[in-house]
């Protein structure tokens, strides 16, 4: 019965989610052309606030728990597990003061209103997973860009999302390149829970009353440990607060 009731609310969710993407696409273009980077960044933040709040239409909420002081004058490497595309808007909105940028597959760079425009023009990097040389070069340049501007690089080391909430093995390569090129950085581990449940019925209908939890852990100085110890600590920190149910 609960699944049946969720159908009309799911339609409302997708209607407003899609409208947000369509409405903010020309707004992004206009703010970038007229106001430059900062105006565009603010429009992206507002877009992701709207996308985050769409969960209200299915009686859900997003809980973003960040008890830590994260300095704005240092570059960041945000490392999180990946459960769905709904992981991304809350990170952009709640950590907007740190200018989060993403490592994304090149296929997302075209065809998606608002999303593709931001990935191409907002400072993120698009990589070809089939071309290792291109990927490494792109991530290297991306790391240098983050280091120089004291922005935040967001990486999901699992590579692909978990369909059942169980975290996959973290891959070293991307994080290793970021650490190498962001020597002054802080790693910010984040544990994400329950966003995979939005897709438990293949995305339609959506479950009612779902709470998606983000747990931001204590920052780790990139320079404080060897890469292997840093990688191990980061992976363990993210995974220890992932609850599979």
């Amino acid at each position: 019965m609960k699944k049946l009731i969720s159908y009309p609310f799911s339609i409302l969710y997708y209607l407003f989610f899609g409208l947000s993407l369509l409405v903010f696409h020309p707004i992004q273009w206009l703010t970038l052309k007229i106001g430059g980077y900062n105006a565009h960044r603010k429009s992206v933040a507002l877009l992701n606030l709207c996308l985050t709040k769409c969960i209200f239409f299915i009686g859900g909420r997003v809980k973003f728990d960040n008890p830590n002081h994260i300095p704005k004058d240092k570059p960041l490497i945000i490392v999180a597990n990946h459960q769905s595309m709904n992981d991304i808007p809350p990170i952009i909105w709640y950590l907007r003061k740190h200018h989060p940028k993403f490592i994304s597959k090149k296929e997302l760079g075209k065809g998606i209103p608002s999303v593709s425009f931001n990935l191409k023009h907002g400072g993120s990097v698009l990589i070809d997973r089939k071309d290792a040389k291109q990927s490494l070069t792109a991530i290297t340049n991306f790391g240098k860009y983050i280091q120089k501007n004291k922005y935040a690089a967001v990486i999901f080391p699992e590579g692909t999302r978990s369909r059942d909430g169980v975290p996959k093995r973290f891959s070293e390569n991307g994080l290793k390149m970021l650490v190498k090129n962001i020597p002054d950085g802080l790693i910010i581990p984040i544990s994400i829970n329950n966003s995979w449940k939005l897709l438990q019925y293949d995305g339609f209908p959506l479950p009612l009353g779902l709470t998606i939890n983000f747990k931001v852990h204590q920052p780790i100085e990139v320079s404080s440990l060897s890469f292997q110890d840093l990688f191990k600590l980061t992976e363990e920190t993210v995974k220890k607060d992932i609850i599979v149910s």
Side-chain angles (χ1 to χ4, degrees):
M1 178 61 71
K2 190 174 181 180
K3 181 179 178 181
L4 185 63
I5 294 172
S6 70
Y7 278 91
F9 295 100
S10 299
I11 292 171
L12 282 174
Y13 173 94
Y14 280 117
L15 176 63
F16 279 87
F17 195 97
L19 281 173
S20 296
L21 295 179
L22 291 173
V23 168
F24 275 92
H25 189 89
I27 290 174
Q28 283 192 66
W29 182 88
L30 190 63
T31 53
L32 182 61
K33 294 296 182 182
I34 296 176
Y37 172 80
N38 281 318
H40 175 240
R41 179 176 66 87
K42 291 176 181 176
S43 73
V44 170
L46 288 174
L47 162 65
N48 284 278
L49 171 62
C50 293
L51 298 180
T52 298
K53 297 303 183 182
C54 281
I55 199 169
F56 289 164
F57 289 104
I58 54 171
R61 68 187 184 113
V62 171
K63 183 180 178 182
F64 202 93
D65 181 16
N66 179 21
N68 309 289
H69 169 68
I70 303 175
K72 290 188 287 185
D73 60 349
K74 290 190 67 103
L76 308 178
I77 305 173
I78 297 169
V79 182
N81 61 306
H82 194 23
Q83 296 188 347
S84 78
M85 292 305 292
N86 297 84
D87 302 336
I88 295 171
I91 290 176
I92 295 176
W93 171 248
Y94 286 102
L95 297 176
R96 61 192 180 279
K97 293 181 180 179
H98 302 283
H99 304 241
K101 315 296 179 188
F102 291 80
I103 298 175
S104 301
K105 58 184 180 181
K106 69 173 186 177
E107 290 81 3
L108 296 178
K110 57 183 179 180
I112 308 174
S114 285
V115 174
S116 297
F117 187 90
N118 182 44
L119 288 175
K120 290 175 68 175
H121 302 285
S124 294
V125 63
L126 297 168
I127 62 172
D128 184 350
R129 291 180 175 178
K130 298 178 182 179
D131 187 340
K133 184 177 179 180
Q134 183 273 341
S135 296
L136 290 175
T137 300
I139 294 174
T140 295
N141 293 334
F142 177 64
K144 292 176 179 178
Y145 168 75
I146 296 295
Q147 169 74 18
K148 178 182 177 180
N149 292 284
K150 296 181 172 59
Y151 292 162
V154 182
I155 184 170
F156 301 110
E158 291 166 292
T160 58
R161 64 181 178 85
S162 170
R163 295 178 180 272
D164 55 7
V166 178
K168 299 176 181 290
R169 184 185 70 85
F170 278 19
S171 174
E172 292 187 7
N173 294 339
L175 185 56
K176 190 173 186 177
M177 294 301 296
L178 290 179
V179 166
K180 180 180 179 181
N181 291 285
I182 310 176
D184 300 331
L186 293 173
I187 289 182
I188 311 296
I190 299 180
S191 303
I192 302 172
N193 282 294
N194 288 340
S195 76
W196 70 272
K197 293 180 180 179
L198 288 170
L199 303 174
Q200 61 182 309
Y201 304 127
D202 294 324
F204 191 82
L206 299 167
L208 299 177
L210 183 67
T211 298
I212 302 177
N213 292 290
F214 291 75
K215 170 72 173 180
V216 182
H217 300 277
Q218 184 174 352
I220 307 167
E221 289 274 0
V222 164
S223 59
S224 65
L225 297 167
S226 68
F227 175 74
Q228 289 303 323
D229 290 339
L230 192 67
F231 179 82
K232 181 180 179 181
L233 176 60
T234 302
E235 183 173 17
E236 289 176 349
T237 301
V238 170
K239 291 183 175 180
K240 73 179 181 180
D241 276 336
I242 297 175
I243 301 170
V244 181
S245 60

